Amino acid sequence: MNNSSIIFFERKFPSANMLLIKDQLPVLIDTGFGSDAKGTEQLIKEVGVSPEELHLIVNTHYHSDHVGGNFHFQKNFGVKIAAHKWEADLINSCDLESCSAEWLDQPVEPYRVDIKLSDNDEINTGSRNLKVLYTPGHTLGHISLYEPEEEILICGDLFHKNDIGWLNIFREGVTSIQRSIESLDLLSMLTIRKAYSGHGPQIENPMVSIDAARKRFEKWLKAPEKVSWHACKRVFHSH
């Protein structure tokens, strides 16, 4: 087994969790809110990686709680940023919707996506390869990452331990529920020993969480108004 390690940082909701692949080419997955950027820098320093050493930042999707720190790391340390190709195009053209997050009072300072990712791409960290899985639903360009050696899944906001990510069906379209179910079906074909999501604790029994998420989405298909109630609960919980 290699000497690299996957370090999980659980952050207080509504900011997003992060993962650091500590390896020859260190990779940070998601960067939390912009207002937390100094704290993010401190967290990775404490585990022995300096921001200058970061090889790449990978975003699971473009929401402010996952990309807020991008500007800080790109501007100050020249770190390259990777995201799904569709979201990359929105961000690089500074599409207002993808660069704003007014409901959380957390605007995103502009950053550039350097590397546009597609399904089945691989991200090398030195001694590991992370496989990019296109898992739309929460957003149209949402990705998950799979590390086959230790059978670890990084699933962003597709599902959490005991919840699912809120769906903005006005932005993502009503079919985002079906897309989410299809993405879960794709993930359920993998062997997953442990999963890390964008919010909440690490997931020790991923298949149980995937099944629960699928059932929840299927209920939403039958009663779409449940989506709005879920979004309201998430927003009020964050204030």
Side-chain angles (χ1 to χ4, degrees), residues 169-234:
I169 52 176
F170 299 104
R171 171 73 179 157
E172 301 301 335
V174 185
T175 55
S176 56
I177 304 173
Q178 284 96 326
R179 284 199 294 269
S180 297
I181 293 170
E182 283 186 11
S183 294
L184 290 171
D185 289 343
L186 171 84
L187 295 182
S188 66
M189 310 293 283
L190 300 170
T191 306
I192 309 167
R193 200 174 52 79
K194 188 180 284 185
Y196 299 100
S197 78
H199 301 280
Q202 65 184 43
I203 303 165
E204 302 293 348
N205 199 331
M207 287 308 161
V208 170
S209 295
I210 287 173
D211 287 343
R214 189 192 285 104
K215 287 190 179 85
R216 192 99 178 260
F217 283 125
E218 283 165 355
K219 275 186 190 160
W220 284 5
L221 273 182
K222 294 188 183 86
E225 68 277 6
K226 284 190 162 76
V227 181
S228 306
W229 281 113
H230 182 256
C232 290
K233 277 192 287 196
R234 294 301 292 257

Side-chain angles (χ1 to χ4, degrees), residues 4-166:
S4 69
S5 55
I6 297 177
I7 300 160
F8 174 59
F9 301 98
E10 187 180 342
R11 298 188 101 152
K12 193 173 182 301
F13 188 84
S15 195
N17 297 336
M18 303 185 310
L19 283 107
L20 177 67
I21 318 294
K22 191 178 173 185
D23 204 348
Q24 290 102 308
L25 304 169
V27 171
L28 183 64
I29 297 151
D30 290 336
T31 58
F33 280 135
S35 55
D36 295 337
K38 283 284 186 208
T40 298
E41 194 183 316
Q42 198 50 42
L43 284 171
I44 67 168
K45 279 180 182 166
E46 281 168 11
V47 296
V49 175
S50 70
E52 294 88 348
E53 287 176 275
L54 276 181
H55 172 65
L56 189 64
I57 285 167
V58 180
N59 292 135
T60 55
H61 61 292
Y62 62 54
H63 287 164
S64 67
D65 49 332
H66 295 258
V67 305
N70 288 9
F71 171 82
H72 174 80
F73 285 97
Q74 192 170 56
K75 178 173 178 282
N76 295 306
F77 307 106
V79 184
K80 282 191 158 56
I81 293 166
H84 188 269
K85 58 185 179 183
W86 291 345
E87 295 193 354
D89 288 340
L90 286 174
I91 289 151
N92 290 350
S93 65
C94 238
D95 171 72
L96 278 177
E97 188 70 28
S98 64
C99 295
S100 71
E102 297 310 312
W103 65 279
L104 282 175
D105 305 320
Q106 286 282 353
V108 175
E109 290 185 88
Y111 61 94
R112 256 198 93 70
V113 177
D114 305 287
I115 297 166
K116 298 180 183 184
L117 299 171
S118 299
D119 192 38
N120 285 323
D121 280 356
E122 292 205 337
I123 295 162
N124 182 264
T125 67
S127 56
R128 293 175 188 268
N129 277 312
L130 299 174
K131 189 175 182 185
V132 175
L133 301 170
Y134 176 49
T135 51
H138 184 67
T139 66
L140 191 57
H142 188 286
I143 58 167
S144 301
L145 299 162
Y146 182 61
E147 203 284 326
E149 202 174 307
E150 288 189 52
E151 297 170 345
I152 285 171
L153 177 74
I154 298 155
C155 58
D157 283 356
L158 177 61
F159 71 95
H160 306 302
K161 186 175 180 178
N162 299 308
D163 200 358
I164 43 185
W166 75 298

